[in-house]
Amino acid sequence: MKLAFWRSRIQHRCFSTAHARPAARPADFTHAVIGAGVVGLAVARRLALRSGGSVVLLERNHAVGTEISSRNSEVIHAGIYYGAHSLKTRLCIRGKHLLYDYCQKNSIPHKRIGKWIVAQNAEQQETLDKLNAVCRDILNVPTNWISEAEARTLEPDVKASAGALESPTTGIIDSHSLMMSLLADFESAGGTLALRSRVSDASRLHDTGWEILVCDESNQEFLVKVDTVINAAGLGAAFVHNLVLPTERHIQLYYAKGNYFSYNASRPKVARLIYPAPEPGHGGLGTHLTLDLAGRIRFGPDVEWSDTPESLDVNSAKLPDAVLEIQKYLPGIDTMALNPDYAGMRPKLARNSAMIQGQGFTDFVIRKEEGLQDWVNLLGIESPGLTSSLAIAEMVEDLLYN
């Protein structure tokens, strides 16, 4: 449904906030999903298919997926980092299978390229041995141990002094093609996309459902009545959450900026993704080597805490630190061929929170809020959010309908 049409449809049902509200009016939509990143798109698509299209997807930007979803490593994760019983693990593993299947059926460019997590000393080897055991004995996630000698034969430019843990089900994906496909499914099912539509307030109705105050690019306001709301606003999820919860239940997000650096030399050459061994308490997975679908190398992200989610300029001053990290596993890198590329932002529920199970680890939060059974919050959705997106959509549907 086109934006102009839905606004004309809403306008005749809306009213100025200066006037008295009618006692009751029919809902404009069954569901409102706030945020059109890859997770919001996946949720909106699934609910539109379920509800016969009575879903509005509200996005504050001029296009879908312009924030977290377009500024990441575009990796399909295997689900090996996050601990045996975490929501991240469950949704990542389920999401990985759903995503590969969806890509195959919808001709989304992707490649099951595989990944090595490399160890340089006995302590890192022990960490990877524990990960390997959890994957084998509990998670049923395929992993293989690669000896130092085998690693040197397969990837002569990669340093893995104590071996490497191989993840053969890790892949890469064209996230933009994925989002366009999810959007096409959503609109084909009758869903309504509203771009440049910023949520500025939300009110619980006495009868049932919610009224959402939406502000467009010209600061004109619209009131939209819906039965249920899904907060998938990503970097803005705390703001939306705090609109409807009492002060004592407000949350704060912490923003971990990640700088990426491109590489334009032909050597060293690698055939798979290369990650350093995880460090407990670290805010990310380390400055790793990723490949795009054309085989081009880039490195990142690092972790740089930011006071604002809008700070997305690449910090060139971080390049020397990145070089030191990269040389630990790729000593032959031509440092002159590294250039600032882009930066992404990760919303975290605690400062210095880790993405790997261990000290400082914070899980996804996906829940109905107490006393608000028709409102679902998705909070702290960072990596592996892309991989988990279709599984998160399943979970939201389950929360609303079962």
Side-chain angles (χ1 to χ4, degrees), residues 309-335:
E310 287 81 27
S311 176
L312 288 174
D313 292 332
V314 180
N315 185 353
S316 300
K318 300 286 286 184
L319 180 54
D321 292 336
V323 168
L324 291 176
E325 293 302 311
I326 296 164
Q327 286 176 329
K328 291 177 182 178
Y329 58 82
L330 209 65
I333 188 173
D334 179 0
T335 59

Side-chain angles (χ1 to χ4, degrees), residues 59-315:
E59 170 55 49
R60 63 184 175 181
N61 293 299
H62 68 283
V64 303
T66 62
E67 296 182 356
I68 304 169
S69 300
S70 60
R71 293 173 171 270
N72 57 63
S73 300
E74 295 188 300
V75 172
I76 301 175
H77 288 285
I80 65 179
Y81 288 107
Y82 316 107
H85 307 294
S86 72
L87 193 55
K88 283 184 177 179
T89 292
R90 177 161 66 87
L91 293 175
C92 184
I93 293 173
R94 172 63 178 160
K96 172 185 65 177
H97 295 302
L98 291 173
L99 192 52
Y100 276 129
D101 185 57
Y102 184 85
C103 288
Q104 188 69 33
K105 289 179 179 178
N106 293 278
S107 301
I108 307 299
H110 71 290
K111 188 174 183 180
R112 204 175 304 219
I113 196 172
K115 173 175 78 175
W116 283 2
I117 310 171
V118 295
Q120 308 300 349
N121 54 50
E123 184 180 1
Q124 291 180 354
Q125 181 182 10
E126 183 181 356
T127 297
L128 296 186
D129 282 340
K130 291 177 181 177
L131 274 181
N132 194 21
V134 170
C135 291
R136 181 187 63 240
D137 300 335
I138 301 176
L139 302 179
N140 195 29
V141 172
T143 51
N144 306 298
W145 184 254
I146 306 294
S147 70
E148 189 273 338
E150 187 179 4
R152 193 166 57 249
T153 299
L154 293 171
E155 293 281 9
D157 291 324
V158 174
K159 180 182 177 184
S161 300
L165 184 63
E166 180 184 39
S167 170
T169 60
T170 296
I172 53 177
I173 185 172
D174 181 343
S175 60
H176 298 280
S177 294
L178 171 64
M179 289 189 284
M180 290 303 99
S181 181
L182 293 172
L183 176 59
D185 290 348
F186 169 67
E187 293 187 322
S188 294
T192 300
L193 172 65
L195 298 173
R196 298 185 178 91
S197 298
R198 177 175 52 86
V199 172
S200 58
D201 204 356
S203 301
R204 187 79 182 274
L205 298 175
H206 292 298
D207 47 356
T208 182
W210 294 85
E211 276 183 341
I212 303 174
L213 186 62
V214 179
C215 185
D216 69 9
E217 69 275 16
S218 60
N219 288 322
Q220 186 174 3
E221 292 183 334
F222 301 84
L223 277 168
V224 185
K225 184 177 179 182
V226 298
D227 294 328
T228 64
V229 180
I230 299 87
N231 173 16
L235 297 173
F239 170 80
V240 175
H241 170 278
N242 294 344
L243 287 176
V244 299
L245 273 294
T247 303
E248 63 272 16
R249 292 169 65 184
H250 282 189
I251 65 164
Q252 178 180 353
L253 288 179
Y254 300 86
Y255 304 108
K257 178 180 175 180
N259 298 286
Y260 287 86
F261 302 93
S262 61
Y263 189 65
N264 59 9
S266 59
R267 300 293 301 186
K269 200 171 186 67
V270 295
R272 51 182 58 78
L273 310 184
I274 308 294
Y275 281 55
E279 298 180 30
H282 196 274
L285 299 179
T287 299
H288 46 263
L289 181 156
T290 61
L291 299 166
D292 66 17
L293 290 162
R296 292 182 294 262
I297 291 175
R298 63 175 175 256
F299 296 95
D302 54 12
V303 175
E304 181 183 359
W305 294 99
S306 175
D307 293 330
T308 170
E310 287 81 27
S311 176
L312 288 174
D313 292 332
V314 180
N315 185 353

